[in-house]
Amino acid sequence: MFNLLKKTTLAAVIAATAALAAPKPLTVWIMPNGASPQEKLEQRLEIFTKRTGIPTKVEVLDWGVAWSRISQALDGKLDAPDVLQLGTTWIPYFASRKEIKPLNGWLKDIQPERFVPVSWNTTHIDADTVIYSVPWFIDVRPLLANKRIFKKNGLTKESVSTYEGFREALKKINASDESLDDGLKVHAYAFPGKSDWNILHNFAPWVWSNGGSFLEKDSTGKWHSNILSKNTLKGIESYLKFILDSLVSTDFLQLNTSQVTQRFNNGELAFIVNTTDVVMQTRFDGAMGGLAEARLGQDSVMVLPFPRGSTGSVSFIGGSNLAIPSSCKRSEAKDLLLFLIEDENLDAYTKQIGLLPSSKKVLEAWSEDEDYKELVKSLETGRAYVSIPEWGELEQLLVNMFSNVWDHMEIPSLYSVDKLYEMFSQYSHEIDRRLNYQATDVMTLAEFKEIWSAEKKDINRNVSIDENDIKKAVVEDNLKKAPFVFIAIVILSFLINFARKRKK
């Protein structure tokens, strides 16, 4: 009995000692990047554990709660992870609060020259030399097309390369009046409407491709609202005209990104502007979270450059970086961060989630794939939001503004240029207030109307009209006039007869 107790005690001591000797897991917080994000990252981290002997733990935060959870953790209200994923636009805010670690001392190991410039520019606060994060993957949003519908309508890459050409393509597809075998109608193009979290990302490329911007620096280097500028308004109106000209149904303004994407995946839409993970998903079967068996997988997807505006083709670029909380005391966190940004790991992980790796070398290899070649090329002219601490709250203001715009436009007959000016002016003023900027040259309603009507004429002038559409319009116009012509003839006949009777 004594020996048994002795052995049990010894075993317990050995187990306790082993437990104390075992290293504590390094924790990583990520968001739901692609299908099965936790499983895919854990597969890579098994290599790290074999290499270092340090276990890891991955926790996935839903995008809807990520900001709140991360804010509380970095503020000390919750236990913080050792390494975490942050959206590129979140970096300046947490950096300005000193809640993520400066990484300048590790730049020799990180090697900034390895990364794409547009991605590396998101690692710090604007005009600051302190680096607070490292690029992980890139979210670039080109024009995606259903290849079957695209080819069926005789379209080419060149024919949709401009804004005007893209509009003509939408007209052609809508006029084809195609329905799928289950009766669902094929629409040319759709985008989510009010209150969707992607709403600003959807407006941005149309604004940028026309030389506009949401914010601008003055001659003294101060940021201010640029909504009420000619080029920005031109970009906004070019996007609104998809609804105003009935190229996109107002019904879609009730949908969110997920619902619109599902329509595209189901073969109901010819075009969509969205994240590129759908390209990779068409190459995996359903068991792996892919779309190979879905309609889009059968029809195939094409990657096209964003339609050129007056100043070029500019895609939206976002993505995520990796950072270390300032409260982290473990030196091994650096090893984990450096492991995750190794070319081999960037290549393997981004292939799983379908977004672009941030490494130039890896992207060079990806360019051998025809679809990804187009995506990599778009990084040269793509654009990200400005890296300032205030951007988070300003982005929400802009989301609210464009949500109100779509809300106003749901009933086209109530469309009012005066109302648009009122909204743009209100939010422009609020943005300047948040930036502590005193605007001195504010656009008047008369100036706004002059620009808005001028842009409308320019767009109409650039769009060719189908001859059949002209004939149809003439017939409809004549039919509208017919009752009035008939009444005029009756009245004229009565007057003539009345005059004749008086002569008799």
Side-chain angles (χ1 to χ4, degrees), residues 164 234 453-463:
E164 293 81 9
K234 180 177 182 178
S453 60
E455 298 305 337
K456 188 172 183 179
K457 289 175 184 176
D458 286 343
I459 291 173
N460 289 336
R461 191 184 302 121
N462 288 330
V463 178

Side-chain angles (χ1 to χ4, degrees), residues 191-195 199-200 203 214 227 233 235-241 243-244 250 253 397-412 414-427 448 452:
F191 40 77
K194 55 187 181 180
S195 301
I199 194 169
L200 186 62
F203 267 93
F214 301 116
I227 296 170
L233 293 175
I236 292 173
E237 204 219 8
S238 70
Y239 194 42
L240 299 190
K241 280 187 69 63
I243 293 290
L244 289 171
T250 55
L253 297 181
L397 278 176
L398 289 165
V399 166
N400 293 341
M401 181 182 79
F402 287 123
S403 291
N404 290 338
V405 168
W406 285 141
D407 190 42
H408 169 65
M409 293 183 63
E410 275 190 292
I411 305 177
L414 299 180
Y415 172 73
S416 164
V417 175
D418 289 41
K419 182 63 176 177
L420 288 180
Y421 172 76
E422 180 185 326
M423 284 190 279
F424 295 152
S425 296
Q426 173 192 340
Y427 281 95
F448 176 83
W452 199 259

Side-chain angles (χ1 to χ4, degrees), residues 40-97:
K40 289 167 183 173
L41 185 58
E42 286 175 343
Q43 290 172 358
R44 300 309 304 174
L45 291 176
E46 286 176 6
I47 301 172
F48 175 80
T49 300
K50 288 179 182 178
R51 183 190 298 179
T52 64
I54 304 172
T56 60
K57 180 181 178 182
V58 178
E59 184 174 350
V60 180
L61 307 181
D62 184 80
W63 278 105
V65 300
W67 176 269
S68 175
R69 284 282 304 279
I70 291 172
S71 296
Q72 292 181 64
L74 296 183
D75 195 30
K77 296 183 176 69
L78 295 174
D79 290 337
D82 298 294
V83 176
L84 77 160
Q85 172 186 343
L86 292 175
T88 53
T89 58
W90 298 7
I91 300 298
Y93 174 78
F94 291 116
S96 68
R97 294 167 59 87

Side-chain angles (χ1 to χ4, degrees), residues 71 80 91 170 266 272 346 390 474:
S71 296
I91 300 298
L170 300 187
N266 194 43
I272 189 175
L346 286 174
E390 299 89 351
V474 170

Side-chain angles (χ1 to χ4, degrees), residues 250-266:
T250 55
D251 293 343
F252 289 114
L253 297 181
Q254 298 290 338
L255 305 183
N256 58 32
T257 293
S258 177
Q259 292 168 318
V260 172
T261 302
Q262 183 56 43
R263 298 283 186 99
F264 183 66
N265 295 348
N266 194 43

Side-chain angles (χ1 to χ4, degrees), residues 86-116:
L86 292 175
T88 53
T89 58
W90 298 7
I91 300 298
Y93 174 78
F94 291 116
S96 68
R97 294 167 59 87
K98 310 298 182 186
E99 292 178 343
I100 49 179
K101 283 190 174 183
L103 306 179
N104 289 54
W106 305 350
L107 292 185
K108 184 177 179 180
D109 297 316
I110 293 171
Q111 299 177 343
E113 65 277 6
R114 294 174 49 221
F115 300 96
V116 180

Side-chain angles (χ1 to χ4, degrees), residues 36-316:
S36 307
Q38 183 167 345
E39 177 186 357
K40 289 167 183 173
L41 185 58
E42 286 175 343
Q43 290 172 358
R44 300 309 304 174
L45 291 176
E46 286 176 6
I47 301 172
F48 175 80
T49 300
K50 288 179 182 178
R51 183 190 298 179
T52 64
I54 304 172
T56 60
K57 180 181 178 182
V58 178
E59 184 174 350
V60 180
L61 307 181
D62 184 80
W63 278 105
V65 300
W67 176 269
S68 175
R69 284 282 304 279
I70 291 172
S71 296
Q72 292 181 64
L74 296 183
D75 195 30
K77 296 183 176 69
L78 295 174
D79 290 337
D82 298 294
V83 176
L84 77 160
Q85 172 186 343
L86 292 175
T88 53
T89 58
W90 298 7
I91 300 298
Y93 174 78
F94 291 116
S96 68
R97 294 167 59 87
K98 310 298 182 186
E99 292 178 343
I100 49 179
K101 283 190 174 183
L103 306 179
N104 289 54
W106 305 350
L107 292 185
K108 184 177 179 180
D109 297 316
I110 293 171
Q111 299 177 343
E113 65 277 6
R114 294 174 49 221
F115 300 96
V116 180
V118 70
S119 186
W120 183 257
N121 289 340
T122 67
T123 62
H124 55 92
I125 300 172
D126 175 68
D128 193 351
T129 58
V130 180
I131 304 301
Y132 291 94
S133 62
V134 184
W136 196 19
F137 57 79
I138 305 171
D139 170 17
V140 56
R141 305 192 181 190
L143 181 66
L144 301 178
N146 180 302
K147 185 179 286 188
R148 181 194 67 78
I149 302 173
F150 189 85
K151 297 293 185 183
K152 181 180 179 180
N153 286 274
L155 303 176
T156 65
K157 181 178 175 181
E158 184 57 35
S159 69
V160 297
S161 63
T162 65
Y163 175 72
E164 293 81 9
F166 181 56
R167 284 172 56 89
E168 287 300 300
L170 300 187
K171 286 182 181 180
K172 189 171 186 179
I173 294 169
N174 285 335
S176 71
D177 201 26
E178 180 187 356
S179 293
L180 302 174
D181 52 14
D182 55 4
L184 292 172
K185 181 176 173 56
V186 170
H187 295 271
Y189 181 38
F191 40 77
K194 55 187 181 180
S195 301
D196 185 84
W197 72 278
N198 275 303
I199 194 169
L200 186 62
H201 307 341
N202 295 327
F203 267 93
W206 302 102
V207 169
W208 293 336
S209 295
N210 283 285
S213 61
F214 301 116
L215 299 182
E216 199 70 47
K217 274 185 180 179
D218 68 9
S219 58
T220 66
K222 291 183 178 180
W223 288 102
H224 62 90
S225 171
N226 197 47
I227 296 170
L228 290 174
S229 70
K230 181 178 180 179
N231 288 343
T232 302
L233 293 175
K234 180 177 182 178
I236 292 173
E237 204 219 8
S238 70
Y239 194 42
L240 299 190
K241 280 187 69 63
F242 291 124
I243 293 290
L244 289 171
D245 293 344
S246 300
L247 297 176
V248 173
S249 171
T250 55
D251 293 343
F252 289 114
L253 297 181
Q254 298 290 338
L255 305 183
N256 58 32
T257 293
S258 177
Q259 292 168 318
V260 172
T261 302
Q262 183 56 43
R263 298 283 186 99
F264 183 66
N265 295 348
N266 194 43
E268 298 174 55
L269 298 174
F271 296 104
I272 189 175
V273 176
N274 201 11
T275 55
T276 56
D277 52 331
V278 67
V279 178
M280 194 65 75
Q281 287 174 22
T282 59
R283 303 178 183 186
F284 293 98
D285 59 34
M288 300 179 66
L291 296 166
E293 297 92 354
R295 270 208 186 96
L296 184 63
Q298 301 300 311
D299 291 351
S300 191
V301 63
M302 291 179 67
V303 178
L304 300 163
F306 201 86
R308 289 195 307 274
S310 59
T311 59
S313 169
V314 185
S315 297
F316 165 82

